[in-house]
Amino acid sequence: MDENGKVTGEMPKLTNDEIKELYKKMVTIRVYDDKTMKIQRQGRVGPYISYLGQEACQVGIAASLRKDDWFFPTYRDSGALYARGMPLKDVLLYWMGDARGFANAGNNFPICIPVGTHPPHAAGAAFAAKIKGKDYVSLATFGDGATSRGDFYEAMNFAGVFNLPVIFVVQNNQWAISVPRSRQTASQTIAQKAISAGIDGVVADGNDIFSVIKAIRYAADKARSGKGATVIELLTYRLGDHSSADDQKKYREQAEVETWKKKEPVERLKKYMLSKGLWSEKFEQDITAEATQAAEKAITDAENIPSQKLDELFENIFSEMTPNLKEELEELKEAYKDRSTESTNKVEKIEGSFP
Amino acid sequence: MHMVAAINSALDNEMQRDKNVVLLGEDVGVNGGVFRVTDGLFKKYGADRVVDTPLAELSIVGLSIGMAAAGLKPVAEIQFSGFTYASFEQLVSHAARIRYRSGGKFTCPMVLRSPCGGGIHALELHSESNEAIYSHMPGLKVVIPSGPYEAKGLLISAIRSKDPVLFFEPMKLYRAFREEVPETPYEIPLGKANLGKEGKDVTIISWSTMYHVSMLAAKKMEEENGVSCEVIDLRTINPIDTDTIINSVKKTGRVVIVHEGPRNAGMGAEISAQITEKAMLSLHAPPIRVTGYDTPYPFYKTEKFYLPDIEKVIIGINKAMNF
Ligand SMILES: Cc1ncc(C[n+]2csc(CCOP(=O)(O)OP(=O)(O)O)c2C)c(N)n1
Ligand SMILES: [Mg+2]
């Protein structure tokens, strides 16, 4: 599909209803993202990372996986988690600095914060599938910057050596904070790095949901049938700041941003649907209203969750609390015996806080 | 100047003085660092001396080792101290050992700067206090300033040092307050603690953000309970200024150690052992530790429970006083 929503290659197999559902998901996660950014600005969420402009990657990845497939996301992939069925409230809890967000997340690993450290985990979960004779696949996604880390190369290498059912999806959004893609690697594509590991590398248009789905289905089918790992480079663009603490105007040409705006994924799918008679004003209004309502409810729910008990801060460190921890918990309780143990959502602005 | 400006000024002075000083790290160039610590330096010194690197902590440190051995003075930045772990092997197996392994032929006069510490409502791994880990590794110096003036003088000493220095910068203090800081270069020697406040009854030993918490607790104890507190800002975590500590403890006979990092095998344990070995007979009470707990640094909604605060330090002081 080109910028105008005109199909240029072979379409993946999708019914009209499925296409409408994909569009609905993309609009929905955009609404969620926008709402979260808004309450972030009001100090109701801490540092937040938006996926604006990468909705086709987010939804396309989720839509091409089975529920029992393993998913290893980064901080940029809240949208994919929603699309994988994780409740907005839970993901919001994570961004509100609450440890309980990922307690019921199925086969979704918690968001990876140290960049590029999770590709080996995906390879490991794939290794487990192989040894246990299961047919799930394992997918890790990360950015262009992450591909500069050794962890990525090592994970590809293991995936090649052991012929693992794993997919490495690089959302190449052209920037790693202020560092452009050209500064990450001198190689022509990121996908070609797969060659050195003896596995398959594919480049796809990450702003075209059909292209994303085709690529991931291809890799998932291949993995499930024992034919090994794939690196998929999705060409996309981060339309917003790196994070709520970043100012992208400091380091990139706004003309570049404008160029990419014209290629953004939601509008593109809409144009396609218009041409096929699948889109209407009313449809748009309905799905937007539904998403807005869901977002508002999730925000209220997340904000009204009861505080964790002090005990909980010492749980889940080990399978059982160690003597040190027990002693420290008592010490903390003593220190708070005359003070409130409520934790607040409100993020006060502190001078010298996160960039 | 606030601490960000003071560190920037130290880097600027040293780059001006010595052409071999080179900065490298993620986002340090065009963007001037995510905290703006290196702001303006890319423009002033160019892309060869202020290097935006690929996203790879291991290589940022690994290359610094080679650069240092070959005559440069690399000042590497790792964006947050929680992301130094990928470079751990390079630091421990190489930076810390090259002088020893080569019989003194090769050395590693590099600085690794990295923001540290909590209290800023950050994401996971953006609030670590991991100075104890690195202090445990022979061959690495570890420094943490507690204010702008200190930051500049200590960083200049670190850059001029012949040894690898890890220079951790408490994010909470980056813009928290300003001090008079000279534009011109000056050194504050590594390995020397600062006696922040004299007192008679109890010695409080701390550093980084916790030094300020300790000072506030000390003032409160003095005003409200008439307990006279001596407060030491360690400044260099490795090597420890044992003389200053022991002299103080010999005078007061009581000691409270306050740090943000976890307690188990933390710096408090080492300081406490030094004191019991060297000043046992002066002690009226066992050394008391007020520290972060042996948990991961918590999600930010609950970080206030984790951090030592004035109340917790006062409980510690009372424990020492009433033993
Ligand atoms: C190991 C590590 N180093 C540095 C950081 C700080 N940091 C967070 S995101 C980021 C850029 C990542 O870029 P990329 O991999 O392209 O992903 P994107 O953010 O563009 O989605 C950096 C440097 C980090 N979180 N982890
Ligand atoms: Mg990127």
Side-chain angles (χ1 to χ4, degrees):
Chain A
M1 190 163 57
D2 67 11
E3 282 173 50
N4 301 313
K6 237 182 86 196
V7 175
T8 49
E10 200 189 318
M11 279 284 287
K13 244 178 73 192
L14 288 165
T15 65
N16 283 346
D17 281 347
E18 283 169 339
I19 291 171
K20 283 176 81 173
E21 186 58 29
L22 290 171
Y23 183 74
K24 181 179 169 185
K25 283 215 165 104
M26 285 166 74
V27 170
T28 302
I29 68 165
R30 185 165 280 188
V31 170
Y32 288 180
D33 192 50
D34 183 56
K35 283 269 170 204
T36 311
M37 275 311 269
K38 286 209 171 92
I39 63 170
Q40 198 282 336
R41 299 286 180 222
Q42 298 164 0
R44 293 157 69 190
V45 165
Y48 173 68
I49 294 171
S50 154
Y51 44 79
L52 183 68
Q54 298 180 216
E55 289 86 351
C57 302
Q58 300 282 303
V59 171
I61 289 170
S64 313
L65 291 177
R66 290 193 331 217
K67 206 176 163 94
D68 66 329
D69 289 335
W70 281 66
F71 181 49
F72 295 81
T74 73
Y75 49 82
R76 182 85 55 213
D77 301 310
S78 305
L81 288 165
Y82 304 138
R84 285 265 291 162
M86 203 172 149
L88 171 56
K89 176 193 152 197
D90 287 354
V91 183
L92 265 178
L93 278 177
Y94 181 86
W95 294 113
M96 288 177 173
D98 194 304
R100 292 167 289 188
F102 276 87
N104 295 300
N107 286 353
N108 298 307
F109 236 45
I111 285 168
C112 182
I113 294 293
V115 169
T117 50
H118 60 308
H121 308 162
F127 211 150
K130 199 177 155 183
I131 288 172
K132 294 177 133 192
K134 299 266 169 67
D135 78 337
Y136 68 78
V137 304
S138 185
L139 184 150
T141 183
F142 38 88
D144 40 304
T147 64
S148 297
R149 296 234 340 177
D151 316 46
F152 167 60
Y153 291 89
E154 294 181 24
M156 280 196 300
N157 192 45
F158 270 68
V161 168
F162 296 105
N163 194 40
L164 300 176
V166 59
I167 309 167
F168 302 112
V169 179
V170 184
Q171 292 179 58
N172 173 3
N173 63 6
Q174 315 302 330
W175 292 90
I177 310 187
S178 72
V179 180
R181 150 65 183 83
S182 58
R183 181 51 69 100
Q184 296 298 342
T185 173
S187 76
Q188 207 178 355
T189 70
I190 291 172
Q192 80 192 50
K193 294 180 183 230
I195 296 169
S196 68
I199 62 177
D200 217 0
V202 179
V203 182
D205 183 343
N207 283 9
D208 168 4
I209 183 109
F210 299 141
S211 165
V212 174
I213 288 177
K214 247 168 62 177
I216 299 194
R217 280 185 183 173
Y218 160 77
D221 289 347
K222 202 178 82 181
R224 260 187 255 286
S225 56
K227 300 204 187 89
T230 312
V231 174
I232 300 172
E233 177 180 2
L234 299 177
L235 298 172
T236 182
Y237 195 78
R238 158 162 70 74
L239 285 176
D241 292 323
H242 166 72
S243 74
S244 53
D246 176 51
D247 176 10
Q248 52 91 20
K249 291 203 183 70
K250 271 203 85 134
Y251 51 78
R252 63 184 189 184
E253 295 293 337
Q254 293 313 293
E256 179 188 292
V257 182
E258 289 310 314
T259 312
W260 278 92
K261 260 189 195 151
K262 296 197 190 92
K263 306 184 199 173
E264 73 93 0
V266 180
E267 191 60 26
R268 200 190 288 199
L269 182 56
K270 178 176 151 186
K271 282 181 184 154
Y272 167 85
M273 289 169 65
L274 254 175
S275 74
K276 302 280 171 196
L278 297 173
W279 185 92
S280 70
E281 220 31 273
K282 165 119 179 44
F283 176 60
E284 182 85 21
Q285 278 166 9
D286 287 351
I287 58 178
T288 309
E290 194 183 316
T292 307
Q293 250 179 18
E296 274 157 12
K297 174 156 177 8
I299 291 167
T300 313
D301 289 350
E303 287 188 326
N304 290 331
I305 188 172
S307 292
Q308 284 190 294
K309 293 205 176 57
L310 294 184
D311 301 66
E312 289 175 72
L313 305 181
F314 294 81
E315 287 165 6
N316 292 320
I317 314 296
F318 293 107
S319 51
E320 280 169 34
M321 222 185 266
T322 58
N324 273 6
L325 289 168
K326 284 183 191 158
E327 200 178 298
E328 290 168 4
L329 170 59
E330 287 317 308
E331 206 180 287
L332 174 61
K333 283 182 176 167
E334 174 66 17
Y336 269 83
K337 71 177 186 313
D338 301 322
R339 286 193 271 174
S340 160
T341 56
E342 293 286 304
S343 55
T344 53
N345 278 328
K346 199 85 190 150
V347 181
E348 332 96 67
K349 269 260 175 272
I350 24 181
E351 252 207 306
S353 73
F354 200 75
Chain B
M1 283 181 202
H2 50 52
M3 195 189 278
V4 167
I7 295 169
N8 183 281
S9 167
L11 294 170
D12 190 7
N13 286 168
E14 288 305 282
M15 291 187 81
Q16 189 97 45
R17 189 185 63 85
D18 181 353
K19 275 202 164 48
N20 290 319
V21 176
V22 170
L23 313 188
L24 69 160
E26 295 156 14
D27 306 288
V28 299
V30 179
N31 198 34
V34 292
F35 289 99
R36 310 284 177 248
V37 171
T38 52
D39 216 15
L41 300 176
F42 178 82
K43 227 172 166 184
K44 189 159 171 190
Y45 297 103
D48 283 346
R49 292 186 67 199
V50 185
V51 185
D52 274 326
T53 67
L55 201 160
E57 286 75 12
L58 184 157
S59 287
I60 292 171
V61 174
L63 266 76
S64 295
I65 294 168
M67 291 163 104
L72 293 178
K73 276 268 180 180
V75 181
E77 176 182 303
I78 301 286
Q79 213 160 76
F80 292 87
S81 72
F83 303 138
T84 57
Y85 304 129
S87 56
F88 194 72
E89 184 168 41
Q90 293 293 335
L91 285 168
V92 168
S93 306
H94 296 298
R97 294 168 60 100
I98 190 64
R99 178 187 290 278
Y100 177 73
R101 294 174 61 229
S102 66
K105 179 172 190 304
F106 294 117
T107 60
C108 187
M110 66 169 285
V111 176
L112 192 161
R113 294 183 34 251
S114 195
C116 74
I120 55 159
H121 308 313
L123 292 174
E124 290 178 278
L125 290 165
H126 289 72
S127 301
E128 311 302 292
S129 293
N130 43 20
E131 63 270 20
I133 299 176
Y134 294 104
S135 299
H136 187 68
M137 308 318 297
L140 300 173
K141 290 190 172 168
V142 179
V143 175
I144 313 185
S146 70
Y149 181 84
E150 262 187 12
K152 177 164 178 179
L154 287 167
L155 181 55
I156 289 181
S157 297
I159 295 172
R160 295 179 187 179
S161 162
K162 298 187 175 75
D163 301 308
V165 181
L166 273 65
F167 190 87
F168 292 118
E169 302 166 0
M171 283 171 271
K172 175 130 178 146
L173 304 180
Y174 261 159
R175 293 186 166 80
F177 62 97
R178 283 161 207 270
E179 281 176 347
E180 205 64 55
V181 177
E183 298 283 348
T184 48
Y186 58 94
E187 290 185 59
I188 296 177
L190 306 187
K192 279 254 152 279
N194 178 41
L195 194 59
K197 180 185 160 323
E198 287 197 64
K200 298 194 301 284
D201 301 327
V202 56
T203 302
I204 309 176
I205 302 162
S206 66
W207 53 94
S208 189
T209 318
M210 288 301 128
Y211 167 68
H212 300 281
V213 173
S214 300
M215 282 293 257
L216 291 170
K219 286 220 177 75
K220 200 158 177 220
M221 277 307 274
E222 218 152 87
E223 283 162 20
E224 294 175 12
N225 302 74
V227 176
S228 164
C229 306
E230 179 141 311
V231 185
I232 294 173
D233 173 6
L234 207 52
R235 304 202 290 210
T236 300
I237 315 305
N238 192 39
I240 295 179
D241 180 359
T242 328
D243 284 350
T244 300
I245 293 175
I246 298 300
N247 287 338
S248 174
V249 173
K250 281 190 171 156
K251 181 171 74 175
T252 61
R254 291 185 167 85
V255 57
V256 178
I257 305 150
V258 187
H259 64 67
E260 213 175 292
R263 184 171 307 172
N264 190 40
M267 287 314 297
E270 171 60 25
I271 294 167
S272 168
Q274 296 256 7
I275 291 169
T276 39
E277 281 169 8
K278 295 180 179 140
M280 176 72 180
L281 295 178
S282 310
L283 286 177
H284 308 310
I288 304 291
R289 286 177 291 172
V290 180
T291 66
Y293 304 120
D294 293 317
T295 71
Y297 191 88
F299 285 69
Y300 69 77
K301 212 197 248 182
T302 47
E303 73 178 330
K304 66 175 175 189
F305 300 118
Y306 175 90
L307 288 169
D309 56 18
I310 297 175
E311 288 82 352
K312 289 182 189 176
V313 176
I314 287 178
I315 292 175
I317 296 172
N318 282 326
K319 261 195 212 161
M321 295 306 298
N322 304 329
F323 180 74

